[in-house]
Short mmCIF file of all heavy atoms in Angstrom, two decimals:
data_model
loop_
_atom_site.label_atom_id
_atom_site.label_comp_id
_atom_site.label_asym_id
_atom_site.label_seq_id
_atom_site.Cartn_x
_atom_site.Cartn_y
_atom_site.Cartn_z
N GLY A 1241 83.32 133.34 -12.70
CA GLY A 1241 83.50 134.29 -11.64
C GLY A 1241 82.18 134.79 -11.09
O GLY A 1241 82.02 134.95 -9.88
N LYS A 1275 77.86 149.36 -21.77
CA LYS A 1275 78.34 148.19 -22.47
C LYS A 1275 77.20 147.49 -23.27
O LYS A 1275 77.48 146.89 -24.30
CB LYS A 1275 78.90 147.20 -21.40
CG LYS A 1275 80.10 147.82 -20.70
CD LYS A 1275 81.22 146.81 -20.66
CE LYS A 1275 82.46 147.59 -20.26
NZ LYS A 1275 83.65 146.75 -20.11
N ARG A 1369 95.10 158.14 -13.25
CA ARG A 1369 94.06 157.39 -13.90
C ARG A 1369 92.66 158.01 -13.69
O ARG A 1369 91.69 157.34 -13.97
CB ARG A 1369 94.11 155.89 -13.46
CG ARG A 1369 95.37 155.23 -13.85
CD ARG A 1369 95.39 153.83 -13.40
NE ARG A 1369 94.62 152.95 -14.23
CZ ARG A 1369 94.35 151.67 -13.90
NH1 ARG A 1369 94.75 151.20 -12.78
NH2 ARG A 1369 93.72 150.92 -14.72
N TRP A 1406 75.11 153.91 -13.13
CA TRP A 1406 75.11 152.56 -12.54
C TRP A 1406 74.79 152.56 -11.06
O TRP A 1406 74.01 151.77 -10.56
CB TRP A 1406 76.44 151.84 -12.91
CG TRP A 1406 76.63 150.52 -12.34
CD1 TRP A 1406 75.69 149.50 -12.22
CD2 TRP A 1406 77.83 149.95 -11.78
NE1 TRP A 1406 76.24 148.36 -11.69
CE2 TRP A 1406 77.56 148.63 -11.39
CE3 TRP A 1406 79.16 150.44 -11.57
CZ2 TRP A 1406 78.54 147.80 -10.81
CZ3 TRP A 1406 80.11 149.63 -11.00
CH2 TRP A 1406 79.79 148.34 -10.63
N GLY A 1428 81.09 141.26 -5.19
CA GLY A 1428 82.53 141.00 -5.41
C GLY A 1428 83.33 142.12 -4.80
O GLY A 1428 82.88 143.23 -4.78
N LEU A 1431 83.89 145.57 -6.30
CA LEU A 1431 82.80 146.60 -6.33
C LEU A 1431 82.95 147.55 -5.16
O LEU A 1431 82.19 148.53 -5.08
CB LEU A 1431 81.41 145.95 -6.32
CG LEU A 1431 81.11 144.96 -7.46
CD1 LEU A 1431 79.71 144.52 -7.36
CD2 LEU A 1431 81.24 145.72 -8.79
N LYS A 1467 92.72 137.89 -12.15
CA LYS A 1467 91.31 137.89 -11.97
C LYS A 1467 90.57 137.57 -13.27
O LYS A 1467 90.95 138.13 -14.29
CB LYS A 1467 90.89 139.27 -11.54
CG LYS A 1467 89.44 139.64 -11.56
CD LYS A 1467 89.30 141.15 -11.26
CE LYS A 1467 87.83 141.60 -11.65
NZ LYS A 1467 87.73 143.04 -11.49
N MET A 1468 89.63 136.70 -13.20
CA MET A 1468 88.86 136.34 -14.40
C MET A 1468 87.90 137.54 -14.66
O MET A 1468 87.16 137.95 -13.82
CB MET A 1468 88.05 135.16 -14.19
CG MET A 1468 87.17 134.72 -15.35
SD MET A 1468 86.33 133.12 -15.18
CE MET A 1468 87.68 131.96 -15.31
N GLY A 1498 87.96 129.96 1.57
CA GLY A 1498 87.21 130.99 2.26
C GLY A 1498 86.64 131.97 1.28
O GLY A 1498 87.25 132.26 0.26
N GLN A 1512 91.60 117.80 -8.75
CA GLN A 1512 91.63 117.51 -7.33
C GLN A 1512 90.24 117.57 -6.70
O GLN A 1512 89.82 116.83 -5.90
CB GLN A 1512 92.53 118.55 -6.55
CG GLN A 1512 93.98 118.47 -6.87
CD GLN A 1512 94.81 119.52 -6.16
OE1 GLN A 1512 94.31 120.33 -5.48
NE2 GLN A 1512 96.10 119.52 -6.53
N ALA A 1516 88.02 114.83 -4.85
CA ALA A 1516 87.51 115.09 -3.55
C ALA A 1516 85.98 114.95 -3.53
O ALA A 1516 85.46 114.40 -2.49
CB ALA A 1516 87.87 116.53 -3.09
N LYS A 1525 77.29 105.48 -0.12
CA LYS A 1525 77.15 104.09 -0.57
C LYS A 1525 76.48 103.26 0.45
O LYS A 1525 76.53 103.49 1.63
CB LYS A 1525 78.55 103.57 -0.91
CG LYS A 1525 79.28 104.19 -2.03
CD LYS A 1525 80.57 103.57 -2.33
CE LYS A 1525 81.18 104.24 -3.59
NZ LYS A 1525 82.54 103.75 -3.87
N GLN A 1579 83.96 104.09 7.86
CA GLN A 1579 84.51 103.18 8.90
C GLN A 1579 83.42 102.26 9.35
O GLN A 1579 83.58 101.03 9.41
CB GLN A 1579 85.09 103.97 10.08
CG GLN A 1579 86.46 104.36 10.03
CD GLN A 1579 86.84 105.38 11.12
OE1 GLN A 1579 85.93 105.88 11.81
NE2 GLN A 1579 88.10 105.67 11.24
N ASP A 1642 88.70 90.28 -17.24
CA ASP A 1642 89.29 91.63 -17.19
C ASP A 1642 89.05 92.34 -18.41
O ASP A 1642 88.94 93.65 -18.41
CB ASP A 1642 90.85 91.45 -16.97
CG ASP A 1642 91.13 91.05 -15.55
OD1 ASP A 1642 90.17 90.94 -14.76
OD2 ASP A 1642 92.27 90.71 -15.26
N ARG A 1645 85.79 94.05 -17.99
CA ARG A 1645 85.93 95.19 -17.08
C ARG A 1645 86.57 96.35 -17.80
O ARG A 1645 86.06 97.49 -17.72
CB ARG A 1645 86.72 94.82 -15.87
CG ARG A 1645 86.85 95.95 -14.85
CD ARG A 1645 87.47 95.52 -13.52
NE ARG A 1645 88.82 95.14 -13.75
CZ ARG A 1645 89.52 94.35 -12.88
NH1 ARG A 1645 88.97 93.94 -11.79
NH2 ARG A 1645 90.76 94.03 -13.12
N ASP A 1657 84.37 95.00 -7.55
CA ASP A 1657 84.06 93.60 -6.95
C ASP A 1657 84.25 93.75 -5.40
O ASP A 1657 85.05 94.45 -4.91
CB ASP A 1657 85.10 92.67 -7.49
CG ASP A 1657 84.99 92.44 -8.93
OD1 ASP A 1657 83.83 92.45 -9.41
OD2 ASP A 1657 86.04 92.26 -9.59
P C B 222 103.75 123.33 -4.13
OP1 C B 222 104.07 124.52 -4.83
OP2 C B 222 103.60 123.22 -2.68
"O5'" C B 222 102.29 122.84 -4.69
"C5'" C B 222 101.94 122.93 -6.07
"C4'" C B 222 100.58 122.55 -6.28
"O4'" C B 222 100.39 121.16 -5.85
"C3'" C B 222 99.52 123.31 -5.45
"O3'" C B 222 99.20 124.56 -6.04
"C2'" C B 222 98.38 122.33 -5.44
"O2'" C B 222 97.69 122.35 -6.63
"C1'" C B 222 99.07 121.03 -5.22
N1 C B 222 99.22 120.64 -3.87
C2 C B 222 98.12 120.16 -3.13
O2 C B 222 97.01 120.05 -3.81
N3 C B 222 98.23 119.81 -1.87
C4 C B 222 99.36 119.96 -1.20
N4 C B 222 99.44 119.59 0.05
C5 C B 222 100.54 120.44 -1.87
C6 C B 222 100.42 120.77 -3.19
P A B 225 91.49 129.30 2.67
OP1 A B 225 90.45 130.37 2.34
OP2 A B 225 92.86 129.79 2.90
"O5'" A B 225 90.95 128.56 3.96
"C5'" A B 225 91.24 129.03 5.21
"C4'" A B 225 90.70 128.07 6.19
"O4'" A B 225 91.34 126.82 6.00
"C3'" A B 225 90.94 128.45 7.64
"O3'" A B 225 89.94 129.33 8.13
"C2'" A B 225 90.92 127.10 8.33
"O2'" A B 225 89.61 126.70 8.59
"C1'" A B 225 91.60 126.22 7.33
N9 A B 225 93.04 126.14 7.46
C8 A B 225 93.98 126.57 6.60
N7 A B 225 95.24 126.30 6.94
C5 A B 225 95.08 125.65 8.18
C6 A B 225 95.97 125.12 9.09
N6 A B 225 97.30 125.14 8.92
N1 A B 225 95.49 124.56 10.22
C2 A B 225 94.15 124.52 10.39
N3 A B 225 93.21 124.99 9.58
C4 A B 225 93.73 125.58 8.47
P G B 234 90.95 114.35 4.88
OP1 G B 234 90.25 113.07 4.92
OP2 G B 234 92.39 114.39 5.26
"O5'" G B 234 90.81 114.92 3.42
"C5'" G B 234 89.55 115.08 2.84
"C4'" G B 234 89.71 115.79 1.53
"O4'" G B 234 90.27 117.10 1.72
"C3'" G B 234 90.66 115.13 0.52
"O3'" G B 234 90.11 114.02 -0.18
"C2'" G B 234 90.93 116.31 -0.43
"O2'" G B 234 89.90 116.54 -1.29
"C1'" G B 234 91.03 117.46 0.64
N9 G B 234 92.45 117.60 1.11
C8 G B 234 92.98 117.28 2.30
N7 G B 234 94.21 117.54 2.38
C5 G B 234 94.57 118.07 1.14
C6 G B 234 95.83 118.57 0.66
O6 G B 234 96.95 118.64 1.24
N1 G B 234 95.71 119.00 -0.65
C2 G B 234 94.56 119.05 -1.44
N2 G B 234 94.62 119.54 -2.62
N3 G B 234 93.37 118.56 -0.92
C4 G B 234 93.51 118.14 0.31
P C B 235 91.02 112.90 -0.64
OP1 C B 235 90.13 111.83 -1.20
OP2 C B 235 92.02 112.53 0.50
"O5'" C B 235 91.84 113.53 -1.78
"C5'" C B 235 91.17 113.99 -2.93
"C4'" C B 235 92.19 114.66 -3.91
"O4'" C B 235 92.75 115.77 -3.27
"C3'" C B 235 93.41 113.82 -4.22
"O3'" C B 235 93.08 112.85 -5.27
"C2'" C B 235 94.36 114.78 -4.76
"O2'" C B 235 93.98 115.32 -6.04
"C1'" C B 235 94.08 115.94 -3.72
N1 C B 235 95.05 115.88 -2.60
C2 C B 235 96.33 116.27 -2.76
O2 C B 235 96.67 116.70 -3.93
N3 C B 235 97.27 116.19 -1.80
C4 C B 235 96.87 115.77 -0.58
N4 C B 235 97.79 115.66 0.36
C5 C B 235 95.50 115.24 -0.36
C6 C B 235 94.62 115.42 -1.32
P G B 244 90.28 86.35 -4.23
OP1 G B 244 89.23 85.56 -4.89
OP2 G B 244 90.79 85.95 -2.95
"O5'" G B 244 91.51 86.64 -5.23
"C5'" G B 244 92.54 85.65 -5.20
"C4'" G B 244 93.33 85.76 -6.51
"O4'" G B 244 92.39 85.43 -7.66
"C3'" G B 244 93.71 87.21 -6.92
"O3'" G B 244 94.96 87.49 -6.20
"C2'" G B 244 93.92 87.12 -8.38
"O2'" G B 244 95.12 86.44 -8.75
"C1'" G B 244 92.76 86.17 -8.79
N9 G B 244 91.56 86.91 -9.22
C8 G B 244 90.36 86.98 -8.61
N7 G B 244 89.47 87.73 -9.26
C5 G B 244 90.19 88.11 -10.39
C6 G B 244 89.75 88.89 -11.49
O6 G B 244 88.62 89.41 -11.71
N1 G B 244 90.76 89.14 -12.45
C2 G B 244 92.04 88.61 -12.30
N2 G B 244 92.87 88.90 -13.26
N3 G B 244 92.40 87.84 -11.28
C4 G B 244 91.45 87.65 -10.37
P C B 245 95.09 88.94 -5.50
OP1 C B 245 96.40 88.99 -4.89
OP2 C B 245 93.89 89.21 -4.70
"O5'" C B 245 95.11 89.93 -6.77
"C5'" C B 245 96.22 89.94 -7.64
"C4'" C B 245 95.92 90.71 -8.89
"O4'" C B 245 94.75 90.14 -9.55
"C3'" C B 245 95.54 92.15 -8.70
"O3'" C B 245 96.70 93.00 -8.49
"C2'" C B 245 94.85 92.43 -10.01
"O2'" C B 245 95.79 92.59 -11.12
"C1'" C B 245 94.11 91.12 -10.28
N1 C B 245 92.73 91.23 -9.85
C2 C B 245 91.86 91.95 -10.71
O2 C B 245 92.30 92.41 -11.76
N3 C B 245 90.55 92.12 -10.36
C4 C B 245 90.08 91.54 -9.18
N4 C B 245 88.81 91.67 -8.95
C5 C B 245 90.97 90.81 -8.36
C6 C B 245 92.25 90.65 -8.70
P A B 246 96.56 94.34 -7.65
OP1 A B 246 97.80 94.97 -7.74
OP2 A B 246 96.03 93.90 -6.28
"O5'" A B 246 95.32 95.11 -8.35
"C5'" A B 246 95.68 95.88 -9.47
"C4'" A B 246 94.38 96.47 -10.06
"O4'" A B 246 93.40 95.42 -10.25
"C3'" A B 246 93.64 97.53 -9.27
"O3'" A B 246 94.26 98.77 -9.31
"C2'" A B 246 92.31 97.49 -10.01
"O2'" A B 246 92.39 98.17 -11.21
"C1'" A B 246 92.09 96.00 -10.25
N9 A B 246 91.32 95.39 -9.22
C8 A B 246 91.70 94.60 -8.11
N7 A B 246 90.68 94.22 -7.34
C5 A B 246 89.55 94.78 -7.95
C6 A B 246 88.16 94.74 -7.68
N6 A B 246 87.70 94.07 -6.57
N1 A B 246 87.40 95.43 -8.45
C2 A B 246 87.84 96.08 -9.47
N3 A B 246 89.13 96.17 -9.98
C4 A B 246 89.93 95.56 -9.11
P A B 247 94.14 99.80 -8.07
OP1 A B 247 94.93 100.95 -8.38
OP2 A B 247 94.34 99.01 -6.82
"O5'" A B 247 92.59 100.13 -8.13
"C5'" A B 247 92.02 100.91 -9.16
"C4'" A B 247 90.51 100.95 -9.06
"O4'" A B 247 90.02 99.65 -9.10
"C3'" A B 247 90.07 101.58 -7.73
"O3'" A B 247 90.04 102.96 -7.76
"C2'" A B 247 88.66 100.96 -7.60
"O2'" A B 247 87.75 101.64 -8.51
"C1'" A B 247 88.90 99.57 -8.23
N9 A B 247 89.20 98.61 -7.11
C8 A B 247 90.44 98.15 -6.78
N7 A B 247 90.43 97.30 -5.81
C5 A B 247 89.05 97.20 -5.44
C6 A B 247 88.33 96.48 -4.51
N6 A B 247 88.99 95.67 -3.61
N1 A B 247 87.00 96.63 -4.38
C2 A B 247 86.47 97.45 -5.28
N3 A B 247 86.99 98.23 -6.25
C4 A B 247 88.35 98.03 -6.27
P A B 248 90.38 103.81 -6.42
OP1 A B 248 90.37 105.18 -6.79
OP2 A B 248 91.54 103.21 -5.74
"O5'" A B 248 89.16 103.45 -5.50
"C5'" A B 248 87.83 103.90 -5.87
"C4'" A B 248 86.83 103.30 -4.90
"O4'" A B 248 86.82 101.90 -5.07
"C3'" A B 248 87.09 103.51 -3.47
"O3'" A B 248 86.62 104.81 -3.03
"C2'" A B 248 86.24 102.43 -2.83
"O2'" A B 248 84.82 102.72 -2.87
"C1'" A B 248 86.56 101.31 -3.85
N9 A B 248 87.69 100.51 -3.43
C8 A B 248 88.94 100.57 -3.89
N7 A B 248 89.79 99.73 -3.34
C5 A B 248 88.99 98.98 -2.49
C6 A B 248 89.20 97.99 -1.53
N6 A B 248 90.45 97.41 -1.39
N1 A B 248 88.19 97.49 -0.86
C2 A B 248 86.97 98.06 -1.02
N3 A B 248 86.60 99.02 -1.83
C4 A B 248 87.69 99.48 -2.54
P C B 251 90.40 104.68 8.63
OP1 C B 251 89.96 105.27 9.93
OP2 C B 251 90.66 105.51 7.46
"O5'" C B 251 91.71 103.87 8.97
"C5'" C B 251 91.76 102.93 10.10
"C4'" C B 251 93.08 102.27 10.10
"O4'" C B 251 93.33 101.42 8.99
"C3'" C B 251 94.30 103.24 10.07
"O3'" C B 251 94.58 103.83 11.34
"C2'" C B 251 95.45 102.31 9.60
"O2'" C B 251 95.89 101.55 10.63
"C1'" C B 251 94.67 101.45 8.61
N1 C B 251 94.81 101.99 7.25
C2 C B 251 95.98 101.83 6.54
O2 C B 251 96.86 101.20 7.06
N3 C B 251 96.08 102.32 5.30
C4 C B 251 95.04 103.05 4.67
N4 C B 251 95.24 103.46 3.49
C5 C B 251 93.88 103.24 5.40
C6 C B 251 93.75 102.74 6.67
P C B 278 100.74 139.16 -9.81
OP1 C B 278 100.52 138.60 -11.19
OP2 C B 278 101.51 140.44 -9.69
"O5'" C B 278 99.35 139.39 -9.16
"C5'" C B 278 98.39 138.35 -9.15
"C4'" C B 278 97.26 138.65 -8.20
"O4'" C B 278 97.79 138.88 -6.86
"C3'" C B 278 96.57 139.97 -8.42
"O3'" C B 278 95.61 139.88 -9.51
"C2'" C B 278 95.82 140.17 -7.09
"O2'" C B 278 94.73 139.22 -6.93
"C1'" C B 278 96.91 139.74 -6.12
N1 C B 278 97.70 140.96 -5.72
C2 C B 278 97.10 141.73 -4.72
O2 C B 278 96.00 141.49 -4.30
N3 C B 278 97.82 142.82 -4.31
C4 C B 278 99.03 143.11 -4.81
N4 C B 278 99.63 144.24 -4.35
C5 C B 278 99.60 142.32 -5.80
C6 C B 278 98.95 141.24 -6.24
P C B 280 90.82 144.66 -10.15
OP1 C B 280 89.60 144.42 -10.99
OP2 C B 280 92.11 144.87 -10.79
"O5'" C B 280 90.56 145.93 -9.21
"C5'" C B 280 89.35 146.07 -8.44
"C4'" C B 280 89.29 147.27 -7.61
"O4'" C B 280 90.42 147.14 -6.64
"C3'" C B 280 89.70 148.53 -8.35
"O3'" C B 280 88.65 149.10 -9.02
"C2'" C B 280 90.15 149.38 -7.13
"O2'" C B 280 89.03 149.81 -6.39
"C1'" C B 280 90.92 148.40 -6.35
N1 C B 280 92.36 148.48 -6.72
C2 C B 280 93.20 149.48 -6.20
O2 C B 280 92.62 150.28 -5.42
N3 C B 280 94.44 149.54 -6.48
C4 C B 280 95.01 148.65 -7.33
N4 C B 280 96.29 148.80 -7.61
C5 C B 280 94.19 147.57 -7.86
C6 C B 280 92.95 147.57 -7.56
P U B 282 89.47 155.64 -11.33
OP1 U B 282 90.75 155.41 -11.99
OP2 U B 282 88.98 157.01 -11.11
"O5'" U B 282 88.31 154.86 -12.11
"C5'" U B 282 87.37 155.50 -12.91
"C4'" U B 282 87.09 154.69 -14.11
"O4'" U B 282 88.34 154.46 -14.87
"C3'" U B 282 86.66 153.29 -13.74
"O3'" U B 282 85.23 153.17 -13.43
"C2'" U B 282 87.01 152.51 -14.98
"O2'" U B 282 86.04 152.49 -16.00
"C1'" U B 282 88.28 153.16 -15.41
N1 U B 282 89.46 152.41 -15.12
C2 U B 282 89.77 151.32 -15.81
O2 U B 282 88.95 150.86 -16.72
N3 U B 282 90.88 150.61 -15.54
C4 U B 282 91.80 150.97 -14.60
O4 U B 282 92.77 150.25 -14.42
C5 U B 282 91.46 152.13 -13.87
C6 U B 282 90.34 152.78 -14.08
P C B 283 84.02 153.60 -14.26
OP1 C B 283 84.42 154.20 -15.47
OP2 C B 283 83.11 154.20 -13.31
"O5'" C B 283 83.37 152.16 -14.54
"C5'" C B 283 82.19 152.13 -15.38
"C4'" C B 283 82.03 150.81 -15.95
"O4'" C B 283 83.22 150.39 -16.76
"C3'" C B 283 82.03 149.63 -14.97
"O3'" C B 283 80.77 149.57 -14.38
"C2'" C B 283 82.29 148.45 -15.88
"O2'" C B 283 81.15 148.10 -16.64
"C1'" C B 283 83.28 148.98 -16.81
N1 C B 283 84.65 148.59 -16.38
C2 C B 283 85.17 147.44 -16.92
O2 C B 283 84.49 146.76 -17.66
N3 C B 283 86.45 147.05 -16.53
C4 C B 283 87.18 147.78 -15.68
N4 C B 283 88.39 147.36 -15.39
C5 C B 283 86.67 148.99 -15.18
C6 C B 283 85.44 149.38 -15.52
P C B 284 80.60 148.74 -13.01
OP1 C B 284 79.16 148.59 -12.78
OP2 C B 284 81.35 149.46 -11.94
"O5'" C B 284 81.33 147.31 -13.15
"C5'" C B 284 80.49 146.08 -13.25
"C4'" C B 284 81.40 144.98 -13.57
"O4'" C B 284 82.67 145.49 -14.08
"C3'" C B 284 81.85 144.10 -12.39
"O3'" C B 284 81.04 143.02 -12.06
"C2'" C B 284 83.19 143.53 -12.85
"O2'" C B 284 83.14 142.35 -13.50
"C1'" C B 284 83.72 144.60 -13.82
N1 C B 284 84.88 145.35 -13.28
C2 C B 284 86.11 144.71 -13.42
O2 C B 284 86.10 143.60 -13.93
N3 C B 284 87.18 145.37 -13.00
C4 C B 284 87.12 146.63 -12.53
N4 C B 284 88.27 147.22 -12.18
C5 C B 284 85.87 147.24 -12.35
C6 C B 284 84.77 146.60 -12.70
P A B 285 79.72 142.44 -13.01
OP1 A B 285 79.68 141.85 -14.29
OP2 A B 285 78.81 143.57 -12.72
"O5'" A B 285 79.52 141.23 -11.95
"C5'" A B 285 78.49 141.19 -11.11
"C4'" A B 285 79.02 140.63 -9.73
"O4'" A B 285 79.78 139.46 -10.11
"C3'" A B 285 80.06 141.54 -9.19
"O3'" A B 285 79.46 142.42 -8.30
"C2'" A B 285 81.02 140.57 -8.48
"O2'" A B 285 80.52 140.26 -7.14
"C1'" A B 285 80.88 139.33 -9.31
N9 A B 285 82.07 139.11 -10.10
C8 A B 285 82.47 139.67 -11.27
N7 A B 285 83.61 139.27 -11.74
C5 A B 285 83.99 138.30 -10.88
C6 A B 285 85.17 137.44 -10.80
N6 A B 285 86.09 137.44 -11.72
N1 A B 285 85.23 136.59 -9.73
C2 A B 285 84.27 136.62 -8.81
N3 A B 285 83.18 137.37 -8.78
C4 A B 285 83.11 138.19 -9.81
#
Side-chain angles (χ1 to χ4, degrees):
Chain A
K1275 297 227 167 179
R1369 296 177 80 188
W1406 177 40
L1431 300 184
K1467 166 188 166 186
M1468 178 174 290
Q1512 291 176 5
K1525 292 185 177 173
Q1579 269 169 352
D1642 288 353
R1645 183 171 64 199
D1657 296 323

